[in-house]
Amino acid sequence: PRLFKQCGSGVQFAYGITLRHPGRIVIGDNVVISEYCTLDARNPDVEVAIRLGDNVMLSNEVCLSAKGGTIVIGAHTGLGTKTTVQSTNNCPTRIGADGIIGPHCYLVAGGTYHMEQLDIPTWRQGLKADTGCHLQDNVWLGGQVTVLGNVTMGSGSVAAAGAVVAEDVARNAIVGGVPARQIRMREGAESTTDNQQ
């Protein structure tokens, strides 16, 4: 625990965890970090690159990669096995409280390359800045969901397994498909045709 910028009480660490720059990581109370997780806080421009709220659960082989970015995960949120959360290019990734993130999900901010110049390799053209990847409170992602940068999923929204979410999702909406489209609203929620959160 002394490796971290801040580490709460009751935190459980399994074996095989990889830490990069733990002095930029803040961990709340009663957090669980399971086997073979990676927490990579390589962002020299901020004091805190990764922040985990109270009672966060990281299942086996979760990767939090804040190389040049920031990741915040709210209290009582669980991330499924082999999920990757990435933030780079100063584009933040935020997951609110009470979230359910299924296994093999991928959340990415700032990870899209410029590719306009055909005579220059894509990786040499640099990354595009975006507004980040934001999941508000009580969002549920099924297994193998991808959420891209420039996307906000409103509170109470749901993405069906395998969805690729490339546009904002309204509060309490259920989306699915590639690319994800609204299927319906959750029972009891008001129907909406816009993307208000």
Side-chain angles (χ1 to χ4, degrees):
R2 290 182 301 231
L3 293 171
F4 299 97
K5 183 174 183 66
Q6 181 179 329
C7 185
S9 63
V11 177
Q12 298 180 48
F13 299 97
Y15 58 86
I17 296 169
T18 299
L19 301 174
R20 298 189 179 108
H21 297 272
R24 297 191 185 102
I25 299 173
V26 171
I27 299 176
D29 295 336
N30 303 310
V31 170
V32 176
I33 302 175
S34 300
E35 289 81 358
Y36 300 111
C37 286
T38 298
L39 280 66
D40 185 349
R42 283 185 282 174
N43 185 350
D45 298 327
V46 298
E47 288 190 19
V48 177
I50 296 174
R51 183 181 298 273
L52 306 180
D54 295 344
N55 301 295
V56 164
M57 167 71 181
L58 305 182
S59 298
N60 295 2
E61 299 182 60
V62 166
C63 177
L64 305 181
S65 176
K67 294 184 286 187
T70 57
I71 295 171
V72 176
I73 300 176
H76 307 284
T77 289
L79 276 65
T81 299
K82 295 187 178 179
T83 284
T84 296
V85 179
Q86 177 181 321
S87 171
T88 188
N89 201 27
N90 295 314
C91 303
T93 298
R94 293 198 301 265
I95 302 172
D98 301 304
I100 305 169
I101 311 300
H104 298 268
C105 288
Y106 182 49
L107 288 75
V108 57
T112 302
Y113 284 94
H114 289 283
M115 55 181 182
E116 294 82 8
Q117 297 176 270
L118 300 180
D119 57 334
I120 299 175
T122 302
W123 71 273
R124 292 184 182 273
Q125 296 184 46
L127 292 167
K128 296 179 181 180
D130 59 45
T131 59
C133 176
H134 307 291
L135 276 59
Q136 295 181 348
D137 295 344
N138 188 30
V139 170
W140 175 17
L141 304 184
Q144 297 183 319
V145 171
T146 297
V147 183
L148 302 177
N150 283 332
V151 167
T152 296
M153 293 187 64
S155 61
S157 61
V158 178
V164 176
V165 184
E167 297 179 349
D168 288 354
V169 177
R171 177 185 177 99
N172 296 318
I174 300 173
V175 300
V178 181
R181 296 287 182 259
Q182 184 170 310
I183 299 169
R184 61 183 176 86
M185 300 299 292
R186 290 176 61 185
E187 187 173 347
E190 292 183 23
S191 180
T192 180
T193 56
D194 61 19
N195 287 330
Q196 290 181 341
Q197 278 74 47

